[in-house]
Amino acid sequence: CELANAAAAVLALLRDPLHTDMREARKAVDQAVRDARKALRRRDFAAPAPDYASLRAARVAAAACSLAGSTVGDDFALSELRAAGLDLLAACARYLGGVVDVDDPQGAKALDVYAPQMSSSLRAALRPGASSVELRSAFRAVHEVGGFLDASAWKRVADVAAKGDSGGVWRQATVAAIVLRDPSLAVDASA
């Protein structure tokens, strides 16, 4: 949990535009490698190549989804782990969501391929019996991952959210946020 929270905090602090631009980050790394080769030929000090979050966006998203969908552990620790994963997923979507995958010929976003896992993570956190910690993190994550899920994915997330205990304020707020996002959704709250 602490590592996921720390990673989310680090993502929020990244100010260098190379952390959100994969193409420019690759150019910077390539240039650093060329400079290091020249330095080595001169028998001079070679600085290590830089690393940028944009080059690791997919791995961060995969780790966040794995944490958010965790199923093994005691109930309290598992709730905290899932919540930390959702918070990391929200931070990843917020700060790295616009990173374009330079290896994709269509120019898709690097996190687009994680949409099914994002949807699954949200559904796991919104299941009936979810803790308030998970529901609060899911509410925040709903706002950040919005652009990655299509209407049918949102419908599935909303249906799971609506089937839980109706007394939970975070659950109600999450369902409302999803429906406000797409008023055409018909949410199925039947058990």
Side-chain angles (χ1 to χ4, degrees):
C1 290
E2 292 170 14
L3 185 57
N5 291 334
V10 167
L11 287 175
L13 296 174
L14 300 177
R15 298 292 179 237
D16 189 332
L18 295 177
H19 287 298
T20 57
D21 187 338
M22 188 182 287
R23 185 176 320 298
E24 293 302 316
R26 282 226 180 127
K27 287 179 186 177
V29 170
D30 290 345
Q31 183 60 50
V33 169
R34 285 192 294 277
D35 293 346
R37 286 182 180 148
K38 288 178 189 174
L40 289 173
R41 278 189 232 122
R42 293 188 314 266
R43 299 188 193 280
D44 196 3
F45 172 75
D51 197 7
Y52 299 102
S54 59
L55 301 174
R56 307 284 180 245
R59 288 184 181 163
V60 174
C65 289
S66 292
L67 289 172
S70 297
T71 57
V72 178
D74 66 67
D75 288 343
F76 177 74
L78 196 54
S79 291
E80 292 291 324
L81 188 62
R82 284 184 182 145
L86 287 165
D87 291 341
L88 179 56
L89 183 59
C92 186
R94 175 185 294 159
Y95 300 111
L96 301 175
V99 172
V100 175
D101 185 352
V102 295
D103 296 327
D104 187 293
Q106 309 298 321
K109 293 179 181 173
L111 302 184
D112 282 347
V113 297
Y114 290 95
Q117 289 91 332
M118 290 179 193
S119 174
S120 177
S121 297
L122 287 172
R123 288 193 316 270
L126 293 167
R127 77 202 179 292
S131 72
S132 62
V133 171
E134 290 175 88
L135 292 172
R136 185 181 64 238
S137 292
F139 174 74
R140 288 191 299 253
V142 159
H143 292 287
E144 299 299 338
V145 303
F148 294 101
L149 303 184
D150 61 18
S152 63
W154 277 123
K155 169 107 174 81
R156 290 189 303 274
V157 171
D159 286 348
V160 170
K163 289 179 183 172
D165 53 332
S166 60
V169 66
W170 288 112
R171 181 176 303 283
Q172 292 172 357
T174 302
V175 173
I178 294 169
V179 172
L180 287 173
R181 184 171 191 76
D182 184 356
S184 67
L185 286 178
V187 178
D188 179 13
S190 61

